[in-house]
Amino acid sequence: DAGVIQSPRHEVTEMGQEVTLRCKPISGHNSLFWYRQTMMRGLELLIYFNNNVPIDDSGMPEDRFSAKMPNASFSTLKIQPSEPRDSAVYFCASSLNANEQFFGPGTRLTVL
Amino acid sequence: KQEVTQIPAALSVPEGENLVLNCSFTDSAIYNLQWFRQDPGKGLTSLLLIQSSQREQTSGRLNASLDKSSGRSTLYIAASQPGDSATYLCAVFSDYKLSFGAGTTVTVRA
């Protein structure tokens, strides 16, 4: 299996622009998680999907952030409008029935 | 809210020495605990998963123990090698989410 796939790997954008991050979970996994990692706050869960349904989005910072999972093999995290404080590494992870989580390589986002 | 603490924050040892990494958590009502490794600028690699009903889990030179009642887990790495240099993260799964510690950064000197 190719593991969790994320794109793009790096994104540099200007403040106010829309950013879309993409994730393809491991085939057969039914849970998908979006995390954000910063030096100041470490790893934080943003949102969790189970069987394509958002279960817990309490970690989403504000309305500028939205996430979708239209099918079992694809999810997006969108930031609109982006701000410099959104600069971080965003990870997607997947698991089967809330067991061992497998992480993607991450997207390094820089907002200028 | 689940709080996860890892001590020490950093560790430097000579090659061949055994490593002991500690993790503590505040809420013992966990589903499982997972140890990860993260290399600089890279993603997280899962090392070991311990279910809440288990006391320990082993994989090669790695052994992780879990004492749920006291809210502690320990990762042992035997006969450390320079390639073991990385940040090790402990994560506790409860309330449908993983809560992470800040990690222990390990340097193994050749």
Side-chain angles (χ1 to χ4, degrees):
Chain A
D1 198 317
V4 177
I5 299 172
Q6 292 188 247
S7 66
R9 296 292 308 277
H10 302 273
E11 178 80 33
V12 179
T13 190
E14 293 189 346
M15 184 173 64
Q17 296 298 305
E18 177 178 297
V19 175
T20 299
L21 311 181
R22 297 172 176 80
C23 175
K24 177 179 169 56
I26 292 172
S27 178
H29 282 187
N30 60 355
S31 298
L32 183 139
F33 307 82
W34 282 100
Y35 294 89
R36 179 171 67 176
Q37 186 176 38
T38 61
M39 289 294 293
M40 290 294 294
R41 300 174 67 90
L43 268 160
E44 302 174 286
L45 176 69
L46 299 177
I47 187 169
Y48 154 52
F49 291 88
N50 190 56
N51 294 322
N52 312 338
V53 176
I55 303 300
D56 184 353
D57 65 354
S58 60
M60 296 286 262
E62 46 198 275
D63 292 345
R64 298 184 297 107
F65 286 69
S66 63
K68 294 182 180 180
M69 192 164 185
N71 57 62
S73 60
F74 183 66
S75 177
T76 60
L77 178 68
K78 186 176 294 186
I79 308 172
Q80 167 63 17
S82 58
E83 297 183 2
R85 60 193 170 118
D86 301 331
S87 298
V89 181
Y90 291 81
F91 288 104
C92 175
S94 71
S95 72
L96 178 62
N97 297 328
N99 276 303
E100 187 173 10
Q101 289 193 24
F102 295 89
F103 280 66
T107 295
R108 183 173 297 275
L109 173 65
T110 302
V111 183
L112 304 174
Chain B
K1 180 188 173 186
Q2 182 73 265
E3 301 285 345
V4 182
T5 303
Q6 290 188 248
I7 295 173
L11 190 57
S12 179
V13 299
E15 182 177 4
E17 191 165 303
N18 296 333
L19 289 164
V20 180
L21 309 180
N22 297 300
C23 171
S24 62
F25 46 95
T26 53
D27 185 351
S28 62
I30 67 170
Y31 187 73
N32 60 48
L33 184 146
Q34 202 166 349
W35 282 94
F36 292 90
R37 168 184 173 141
Q38 186 173 31
D39 293 286
K42 303 293 185 183
L44 279 70
T45 300
S46 179
L47 297 174
L48 289 168
L49 173 76
I50 310 177
Q51 300 290 354
S52 62
S53 58
Q54 296 178 312
R55 297 284 293 184
E56 68 176 338
Q57 193 68 255
T58 298
S59 176
R61 293 185 295 113
L62 276 59
N63 174 276
S65 66
L66 174 64
D67 184 343
K68 203 171 67 164
S69 60
S70 67
R72 294 182 182 182
S73 177
T74 303
L75 178 66
Y76 301 90
I77 303 176
S80 62
Q81 304 167 359
D84 294 329
S85 298
T87 296
Y88 292 83
L89 295 157
C90 168
V92 174
F93 193 76
S94 57
D95 289 332
Y96 302 105
K97 63 183 71 172
L98 270 180
S99 300
F100 283 85
T104 296
T105 299
V106 172
T107 302
V108 181
R109 307 186 303 271

